[in-house]
Amino acid sequence: PTSYIPTAGSQVTRAADTITLATTAFPFSATAGILVVEARAALGAGTHVLIQIDDGTANERIRIVRNTSNEIHCIVTDGGVDQCDLNLGSVSNDTAFKVAFSWAANDFAACLNGGAVQTDTGGTLPTVTTLRLGSGNSAYWNGRLRRAKHLPRNRASDAELQALAA
């Protein structure tokens, strides 16, 4: 189902149904955070953005994506340069999964379905202003987003990330 589009006797092009929220509208920390997301993978190939926090450009963003190889990646980009790109493994089409992603400067970690935690210990953080559910700058989720939670706190331990993603 999609949202209603009122028309007056002519066709209207449907824009994607996207949900955005300014980071000033919820407790957001510019120095550390945790995202926990439950979703069902889309059908078909392509790059799909599950969740993204950005400044309206591709140069400053924190995101969880599923790439054309069906791999879930947690990526942080600052100044147009990827600071971390954590490959959490593949998720088959139409399969439920859960991701926990934690970040702070020089300390990135993520976990898929309670499995092994992937880490990166080098990188800066972007300056962001907007949370986007199911969309990014040019890609959409095209699957089901069941639940998303943001925690504005320091990096979770590996054990906590595994528990959050289990």
Side-chain angles (χ1 to χ4, degrees):
T2 58
S3 59
Y4 171 70
I5 299 177
T7 62
S10 63
Q11 289 184 312
V12 177
T13 301
R14 172 178 293 286
D17 287 328
T18 60
I19 300 171
T20 62
L21 184 64
T23 56
T24 56
F26 62 97
F28 182 80
S29 169
T31 60
I34 301 168
L35 283 174
V36 181
V37 182
E38 291 180 60
R40 180 167 289 279
L43 295 172
T47 298
H48 303 134
V49 178
L50 177 55
I51 192 167
Q52 179 169 298
I53 308 170
D54 62 50
D55 70 344
T57 73
N59 294 327
E60 304 284 315
R61 56 190 177 163
I62 298 166
R63 63 199 182 280
I64 300 173
V65 303
R66 182 171 177 244
N67 69 12
T68 57
S69 299
N70 297 336
E71 298 164 336
I72 301 294
H73 285 252
C74 296
I75 306 168
V76 175
T77 305
D78 185 26
V81 177
D82 286 351
Q83 302 297 308
C84 85
D85 184 346
L86 304 173
N87 182 345
L88 303 183
S90 294
V91 173
S92 298
N93 287 343
D94 199 30
T95 301
F97 65 94
K98 194 171 182 182
V99 173
F101 178 28
S102 182
W103 65 87
N106 300 313
D107 192 5
F108 305 95
C111 178
L112 174 65
N113 294 330
V117 174
Q118 304 300 313
T119 62
D120 189 331
T121 57
T124 58
L125 295 177
T127 302
V128 296
T129 58
T130 305
L131 169 71
R132 300 175 197 284
L133 299 176
S135 68
N137 297 87
S138 61
Y140 299 94
W141 179 239
N142 296 326
R144 288 183 223 123
L145 175 58
R146 182 166 186 250
R147 184 175 299 149
K149 180 179 3 179
H150 170 262
L151 305 170
R153 52 169 274 235
N154 291 333
R155 177 176 163 340
S157 69
D158 288 359
E160 185 179 5
L161 282 174
Q162 288 173 314
L164 288 169

